Amino acid sequence: MINKAIFVGSFQKLNQCPESALTEFAFIGRSNVGKSSLINMLCKVKNLALTSSTPGKTQLINYFLINDTFHLVDLPGYGYARVSKTQRQKWHKHTMEYVTTRTNLAVLFILIDATIPPQQIDIEFINRMGESRVPFVLIYTKTDKINQRESSKNIALFEDKLKEKWEELPISFKSSAKKGLGHKEILTFISETLKETA
Ligand SMILES: Nc1nc2c(ncn2[C@@H]2O[C@H](COP(=O)(O)OP(=O)(O)O)[C@@H](O)[C@H]2O)c(=O)[nH]1
Ligand SMILES: [Mg+2]
C-alpha cells in the first residue's frame, strides 16, 4: 500500500515544519518504544527513519512524504531520564505545540511498549492528549519480544489504568516491527482516515 516513501527533513519546531496542506499522521511515545522502527516497517524501508539503541537521541520532528499524498511524522520521544531539564522543557513546548495546534494532523499514534507493565508517564501523556482533544490511537509495540500471554496481560493492565479516567477505550493496534505485525491493520486505518478527511 505504501509504494513511495521519501524523507522530507528534520525540524526543531512547529513554525519550521513544511507549509503543506497534506494530511499528517504522527508517532509519539517514550524514547526507545519503537517509533522509528514502526515507521520503517510500515514503509518497508529499512533505514528511512533512523532507529537507535541509544534512547533520547532524536530531538527533532522528522517528516516523511508517503505516496506523494500524506505525511508520516516521527516526533521526539518523551520520558528519557538522561536529558537535561531545559531539553525536556523544550521538548514539551515544541511537541505540545505541534500536537495541539497542527491543523492537518489527522491522528496521533501513541506507542506503548507491550513488553513492560503500565508506565505512569504514558498514562499521563494520554490523559493530557484526551483533555486537549487531540485525536489519538494507541499502538502496542514489540509484541514479538515476549509471549502473547505476557503482552496481553500488560495491555489489559494498561487498559485498566485508562479506564480509571476514560469511559471508552481508544482504538488500539498491536505491532511488531521485527515481524511486520500490524502492518496491514495500521495502513488500512490510515487509508480509511484519508478517505474521511478527503
Ligand atoms: N524485538 C523488537 N525490537 C524492536 C521493535 N521495535 C523497535 N525495537 C528495538 O527497540 C530499539 C528502539 O527502537 P527505535 O525505533 O529507535 O525507537 P524510538 O526511539 O521510539 O524511535 C531498537 O533497538 C529497535 O531495534 C520490535 O517490534 N521488536
Ligand atoms: Mg526514533
Side-chain angles (χ1 to χ4, degrees), residues 106-171:
V107 176
L108 177 66
F109 290 107
I110 305 177
L111 276 58
I112 308 294
D113 190 336
T115 69
I116 53 173
Q119 304 289 302
Q120 193 54 31
I121 192 165
D122 288 325
I123 302 286
E124 275 166 20
F125 184 77
I126 290 170
N127 289 345
R128 241 192 301 155
M129 291 304 101
E131 283 155 9
S132 307
R133 304 256 184 275
V134 176
F136 69 86
V137 161
L138 303 184
I139 300 180
Y140 296 99
T141 64
K142 306 189 186 182
T143 55
D144 62 277
K145 261 183 107 177
I146 54 172
N147 68 45
Q148 213 216 314
R149 196 170 44 83
E150 285 291 317
S151 59
S152 298
K153 189 179 144 202
N154 287 334
I155 292 169
L157 287 171
F158 196 85
E159 290 182 336
D160 285 345
K161 287 268 182 204
L162 290 177
K163 280 187 223 151
E164 287 173 14
K165 179 141 176 133
W166 304 99
E167 227 157 83
E168 237 179 284
L169 288 172
I171 295 173

Side-chain angles (χ1 to χ4, degrees), residues 32 34-37 49-52 58 62 74-75 77:
N32 225 33
K35 296 174 291 296
S36 305
S37 302
L50 292 180
T51 60
S52 166
T58 340
N62 296 298
D74 192 0
L75 292 170

